[in-house]
Amino acid sequence: MQEKINEIYQNALNAISQANDLKALDEIRVAYLGKSGLVTGLLKGMRDLPQEERPKVGQMVNELREKITTVMSQKESELKSAEMNNALASERVDVTMPGKKDDLGSLHPINLVRNELIEAFAGMGFEIYEGPEIELDEYNFRLLNIPQDHPARDMQDTLYITENILLRTQTSSGQARVMQEKKPPLKILSPGKVYRADDDATHSPMFHQMEGLVVDKNITLCDLKGTLEAFLKKMFKDDLKTRLRPSYFPFTEPSVEVDVTCFECKGKGCHLCKGTGWIEVLGAGIVNRRVLENCNINPDEYQGFAFGIGLERIAMLKYGIPDIRLFFENDVRFLKQFK
Ligand code: PHE
């Protein structure tokens, strides 16, 4: 019996010393001390022993159990601390490494200008309306007093999808839609993309406009001037002056170009304003009676004013950007400057 016990003990010691993780150690525990383990088997085997030998053998087996348990718990704490050290080594964080910085994006300058404009006009009670970019000839031209063979169509050539469906050339198309959909009084601001067969340093085949339309009783050119002046002062400088210069658009009568005093020379004349002291910023006018009639609004009862602002033009003036193509090249060195 003693021999057998020694043999089991030696085997257990060997197995324990070779266990290199906690899982292996647990398997050894089961094999020796578990319900059907070797040591437990010895105790069960005592039934077959003569009565007088049992206490002695019992004591020996219990000692064996204790010894194995002690060795095991020693090994267990060794393995635990080894595992801990491994984890500490492999998960170590080098706090002296430079941090990873996520580059934060920024709004595109066109969106910055768009938001600023909306904010300026929202304060005056304007509502946003967004019309479709793929538009009917009717809204883009005919209802705006630009019939089929009108020479004004030349300046606004665009991509036609069918003879009657085109990429809109101006956000003015929204004017007719709004006037058909809603009843006056109206105060509408309509931002969006427009398309024209144009391509050079100050023109792009796709660009952005912001249309303004007010229809109410007793509207005059003074209302137009006051509204635009308030917005331009907010957008540029408080001491800026505006002037209206006669112009022509088929859908407004009278029509005007709105100029502001040159930012660069303050009106003396320089390269930016081509010596005139003024810079043209947008087109506007009193809504043509014909357009009101086309949209079923009685021109003897209601009048309106409208304006169209080129967002690229405003952004170029505001930030001193020399070439419109910079807006669309997606060069992050350019875009980053607007953070
Ligand atoms: N739609 C005109 C253009 O694109 C601008 C404009 C809008 C003029 C509203 C007058 C009134 O040139």
Side-chain angles (χ1 to χ4, degrees):
M1 195 66 193
Q2 184 67 56
E3 247 167 58
K4 196 166 181 197
I5 286 178
N6 279 344
E7 193 192 320
I8 292 179
Y9 182 54
Q10 280 312 323
N11 288 345
L13 282 188
N14 275 340
I16 291 170
S17 73
Q18 274 164 30
N20 43 25
D21 58 31
L22 290 169
K23 188 165 168 269
L25 192 63
D26 205 53
E27 276 163 16
I28 297 168
R29 187 194 324 280
V30 173
Y32 285 85
L33 309 177
K35 256 190 207 145
S36 37
L38 289 173
V39 177
T40 324
L42 286 179
L43 286 175
K44 282 182 191 156
M46 289 208 329
R47 269 186 296 236
D48 309 327
L49 290 177
Q51 189 73 44
E52 63 282 6
E53 281 183 35
R54 284 186 195 169
K56 192 155 178 285
V57 173
Q59 201 191 345
M60 276 160 38
V61 174
N62 278 333
E63 273 170 19
L64 173 65
R65 173 185 278 280
E66 260 160 48
K67 283 199 291 193
I68 293 179
T69 309
T70 314
V71 178
M72 273 200 143
S73 59
Q74 251 171 24
K75 182 75 179 181
E76 187 175 342
S77 60
E78 265 169 44
L79 286 175
K80 274 191 179 155
S81 70
E83 254 174 44
M84 174 79 92
N85 286 337
N86 273 341
L88 283 178
S90 66
E91 291 165 22
R92 195 164 98 201
V93 175
D94 182 351
V95 290
T96 63
M97 291 258 281
K100 273 191 213 150
K101 242 202 327 202
D102 275 332
D103 243 351
L104 211 57
S106 56
L107 285 180
H108 192 279
I110 295 301
N111 282 333
L112 287 175
V113 166
R114 177 183 184 272
N115 292 351
E116 226 180 299
L117 253 121
I118 289 176
E119 205 179 300
F121 283 106
M124 297 189 245
F126 281 75
E127 226 185 291
I128 304 288
Y129 170 87
E130 283 184 82
E133 278 172 46
I134 298 175
E135 187 53 285
L136 296 171
D137 186 286
E138 191 185 351
Y139 291 106
N140 196 82
F141 292 129
R142 275 195 302 246
L143 290 171
L144 298 176
N145 198 31
I146 312 175
Q148 198 64 64
D149 295 312
H150 196 289
R153 289 201 181 207
D154 262 4
M155 285 195 307
Q156 300 197 4
D157 195 16
T158 182
L159 278 169
Y160 282 79
I161 288 147
T162 69
E163 209 175 319
N164 265 318
I165 301 174
L166 46 88
L167 296 186
R168 68 175 171 200
T169 64
Q170 48 185 1
T171 44
S172 302
S173 53
Q175 284 190 34
R177 286 188 173 272
V178 168
M179 285 191 275
Q180 280 190 348
E181 276 171 28
K182 303 183 184 202
K183 294 224 166 338
L186 299 170
K187 252 186 168 180
I188 300 292
L189 203 59
S190 186
K193 292 189 176 73
V194 299
Y195 302 83
R196 290 186 199 180
D198 264 342
D199 200 4
D200 61 36
T202 54
H203 296 87
S204 156
M206 184 284 297
F207 62 104
H208 300 79
Q209 285 189 330
M210 177 91 71
E211 193 81 7
L213 172 70
V214 171
V215 181
D216 205 342
K217 290 180 176 162
N218 305 317
I219 293 289
T220 71
L221 214 52
C222 287
D223 299 307
L224 170 66
K225 188 165 190 217
T227 304
L228 290 179
E229 207 166 79
F231 140 69
L232 288 165
K233 282 186 170 168
K234 191 154 192 220
M235 195 76 188
F236 295 106
K237 283 196 194 86
D238 257 348
D239 57 352
L240 138 162
K241 288 203 188 80
T242 54
R243 78 173 180 188
L244 304 185
R245 203 159 28 81
S247 183
Y248 173 77
F249 300 103
F251 38 92
T252 48
E253 182 58 37
S255 301
V256 295
E257 300 278 357
V258 181
D259 296 344
V260 297
T261 38
C262 178
F263 312 107
E264 192 97 350
C265 64
K266 316 253 180 302
K268 286 192 210 79
C270 68
H271 70 282
L272 185 65
C273 57
K274 301 194 186 91
T276 62
W278 296 93
I279 291 182
E280 179 191 321
V281 286
L282 58 102
I286 292 296
V287 180
N288 194 315
R289 296 175 63 87
R290 285 211 185 157
V291 174
L292 293 173
E293 273 165 7
N294 288 346
C295 301
N296 302 317
I297 293 175
N298 179 359
D300 294 324
E301 194 182 354
Y302 288 104
Q303 300 77 45
F305 68 76
F307 54 87
I309 304 170
L311 298 191
E312 281 78 2
R313 177 154 181 81
I314 298 288
M316 287 167 87
L317 290 170
K318 193 173 163 84
Y319 300 118
I321 297 166
D323 192 319
I324 197 170
R325 287 167 287 208
L326 285 164
F327 290 122
F328 309 118
E329 279 166 357
N330 288 336
D331 185 335
V332 288
R333 289 169 304 178
F334 170 73
L335 297 171
K336 264 186 178 167
Q337 298 176 57
F338 300 93
K339 271 195 185 159

